[in-house]
Every structure is written in structure tokens, then in C-alpha cells.
Amino acid sequence: MSDEEQTPSTTGGPTGGRTPAGPQPEEIRLFGTTWVDHSGAYTLRRVGLAVGSLAAAVAACFVLRFAYEGLEIAAVGGIVNMLVVLMFAVCSAIAFRKTWEGFGRRPTDPAREESLRSLKAIGFIGSLLAYCVRCFVEAPGERLRRAEYDTALAQYEKRRGTRTGNPAARKKPKRK
């Protein structure tokens, strides 16, 4: 993809394609770097993501309802039906919590997050609901990335501000 074909959200966001000196903001899926200055239909994308994740969660609930009806038709017994419902409820609650925590901080133990992947896949409805609820506040993960970006900018400005100029360009004092 050439530079002319890229959308403003993927070409550097708020700078309109120019690459400024200093740290660059990290992109958020479906938002690019528009989260920095809320440009490029940012609000519309948040609303779309909220509606889409809620619609996907509702559709998933219907699919689970059909699966439950299949268990009833198969007459596997009340204990199995109860265990299936309990499993999806617990996994959805854990997936919601872990997804919600992921919006606010980076995982401290990637191996633990990897081991929870299957549990979060089973409780995918919880993850979808977390995305839906988070979109009412901000783009999912925006607060974390904004804090990291602001910290990186402050450190960059501090490093740039302490410099007194290019030492090689300084004039050397004349010797007598």
C-alpha cells in the first residue's frame, strides 16, 4: 500500500502523515492512532464497536440457547445441563474480568495469560460484553496507551530539554 492509499488513521494519526520526532503513539485495533486527538470518526467507531460487540454477544447467547435445547432433547440429565450453564457463566465472568483488566494494564505474566486463553475462549460472551461496556467510556485500551504515550512524551521532552545543543557545532575558543 502506498502512502497515498493509506487512511489518515494509519499514517501517523494526528500529524496527518508526517513523522514527527519523538515517540509515536501505539495503534489500537479499529481505531489506529485516532485515539490521540479523537479525530477520524472516533466517536462513530466507538459507537459501532459497542453496537457490534453487543450484537455479537446477543447472537452468541442465542447459539448457546440452541446448544442447551440440544442437550434437553438428548435428555442427558439435569446435572449435565446445570454444569454446562455453570461452566459458561463462570468462564464468561472470568473472561469479562480479565478483558476489563487488560484495558487498564499490561499483563505481568504472559504465560498466565496464555494459560487463560482457552478459558477466555469459552467465556467469549464476557469478553464481548467487556468491549461493549468499555466503549461507553473510551476506546478499549485507550487509557493505558495514553498513559504510556504521555510518559514517553514527557521523557522525550526532558531528554531534549536538557541538551544544550550539538557539541560538534560549538565554536572552539581561539588560542593565543
Side-chain angles (χ1 to χ4, degrees):
M1 182 180 269
S2 71
D3 288 339
E4 294 80 35
E5 295 173 344
Q6 290 182 344
T7 61
S9 64
T10 59
T11 59
T15 60
R18 296 182 313 270
T19 304
Q24 302 301 310
E26 184 179 347
E27 291 188 2
I28 297 176
R29 185 180 307 155
L30 303 176
F31 292 93
T33 57
T34 60
W35 60 267
V36 176
D37 61 354
H38 296 181
S39 63
Y42 169 82
T43 305
L44 186 62
R45 290 180 196 187
R46 272 185 39 204
V47 169
L49 184 60
V51 169
S53 61
L54 184 61
V58 168
C61 287
F62 279 120
V63 170
L64 289 178
R65 174 68 183 158
F66 293 141
Y68 183 78
E69 287 177 0
L71 289 174
E72 285 182 348
I73 291 170
V76 292
I79 189 79
V80 173
N81 288 342
M82 183 186 69
L83 286 175
V84 168
V85 170
L86 187 64
M87 175 198 60
F88 275 106
V90 169
C91 289
S92 290
I94 292 171
F96 181 93
R97 182 172 161 247
K98 289 298 182 183
T99 302
W100 191 266
E101 287 175 356
F103 296 143
R105 64 175 174 78
R106 299 278 182 186
T108 55
D109 187 9
R112 180 172 165 80
E113 291 296 318
E114 184 66 30
S115 68
L116 290 174
R117 177 180 278 178
S118 60
L119 191 117
K120 288 168 71 175
I122 293 169
F124 63 99
I125 294 175
S127 292
L128 291 170
L129 291 175
Y131 269 91
C132 178
V133 171
R134 192 57 172 207
C135 286
F136 290 120
V137 178
E138 65 182 4
E142 179 181 344
R143 185 173 297 151
L144 171 67
R145 286 174 177 81
R146 186 172 301 283
E148 291 173 348
Y149 180 60
D150 289 344
T151 302
L153 274 177
Q155 289 174 348
Y156 174 76
E157 289 301 322
K158 184 177 178 183
R159 284 192 311 266
R160 296 252 325 142
T162 58
R163 292 182 184 167
T164 58
N166 185 353
R170 289 188 195 150
K171 291 183 180 178
K172 294 186 180 186
K174 292 184 180 180
R175 294 189 179 211
K176 293 184 182 181

